[in-house]
Amino acid sequence: QMQLVESGGGLVQAGGSLRLSCAASGRTFSSYAMGWFRQSPGKEREFVAAISQSGLSSNHAGSVKGRFIISRDNAKNTAFLQMNSLKPEDTAVYYCAAGSGAAWAVTTWDEYDYWGQGTQVTVSS
């Protein structure tokens, strides 16, 4: 059982960077794969990136590959999403999620069991 809280969202200009954080409760953070998803008004939730329990493996959506990097620090019970070269189409609410150890390798939201409340990212041009 997990509780997740995202932070770090805000308003940035196109080409800028943001770093999102996801703080998790409990002592079993390292037992979960972690993922980031995003959702814009009128659109379905979209996979962004995921990382394995150990942090040794990761998966990034084609739309963000080369621009975004997912990472985690198990000693601090925190996952991160470094977002560089931001585009207006990146504007969305970004959600942190925790799932089974195998979840990092798939891109569907229903593989994840626990969700944060989301943090707004707005990219202006």
Side-chain angles (χ1 to χ4, degrees), residues 6 17 41 50 53 75 80 93:
E6 303 96 335
S17 297
Q53 296 160 302
F80 305 94
V93 176

Side-chain angles (χ1 to χ4, degrees), residues 4-6 93-96 115-120:
L4 307 174
V5 180
E6 303 96 335
V93 176
Y94 282 71
Y95 296 92
C96 175
W115 295 84
Q117 294 299 307
T119 185
Q120 177 70 48

Side-chain angles (χ1 to χ4, degrees), residues 22-85:
C22 174
S25 65
R27 297 177 179 267
T28 59
F29 178 73
S30 62
S31 297
Y32 294 88
M34 299 298 297
W36 287 96
F37 292 77
R38 65 188 182 186
Q39 188 167 23
S40 299
K43 298 181 179 179
E44 295 185 352
R45 192 168 300 180
E46 176 188 18
F47 171 79
V48 177
I51 191 165
S52 64
Q53 296 160 302
S54 65
L56 295 177
S57 300
S58 63
N59 185 20
H60 296 77
S63 60
V64 306
K65 190 174 297 182
R67 299 190 298 121
F68 294 8
I69 301 173
I70 190 171
S71 62
R72 67 191 295 164
D73 186 339
N74 287 347
K76 297 181 179 179
N77 281 10
T78 305
F80 305 94
L81 184 68
Q82 178 66 47
M83 304 186 294
N84 301 316
S85 301

